[in-house]
Amino acid sequence: MSPTVQVSAIQVAAIHAEGPASDAARFIVGQDPEGHWVAIEIHGRAGGLFRSRKAAVDYAEDETDHRPDAVRLSGERIELRI
């Protein structure tokens, strides 16, 4: 079983350093420890739980105006903190 990954300030800083659109909305999509699909905006302004990967990715893409590289898939478990 993969360890749970929480989106930390270090990960957010690394994502910001990757490209010129660092101040724009960007999302991480993955599964939580229970297997639900999660989309999390890296600044904590948006996010949610979804029934499928497609639904999570569609939401994140819509929220980022379908910008290339604005949505990243996580291979590790992530957790949405409310």
Side-chain angles (χ1 to χ4, degrees), residues 8-28:
S8 68
I10 294 170
Q11 289 171 309
V12 171
I15 290 169
H16 282 297
E18 290 178 3
S22 63
D23 59 339
R26 297 182 74 174
F27 280 78
I28 298 173

Side-chain angles (χ1 to χ4, degrees), residues 7-73:
V7 179
S8 68
I10 294 170
Q11 289 171 309
V12 171
I15 290 169
H16 282 297
E18 290 178 3
S22 63
D23 59 339
R26 297 182 74 174
F27 280 78
I28 298 173
V29 174
Q31 287 183 292
D32 69 7
E34 289 80 34
H36 303 112
W37 284 96
V38 178
I40 303 171
E41 197 271 335
I42 64 170
H43 299 293
R45 294 182 281 210
L49 295 172
F50 299 87
R51 291 181 184 235
S52 68
R53 176 179 176 247
K54 181 180 181 338
V57 170
D58 286 348
Y59 165 78
E61 287 179 346
D62 286 345
E63 290 293 310
T64 59
D65 294 325
H66 299 271
R67 287 189 332 270
D69 299 325
V71 178
R72 302 239 175 203
L73 295 176

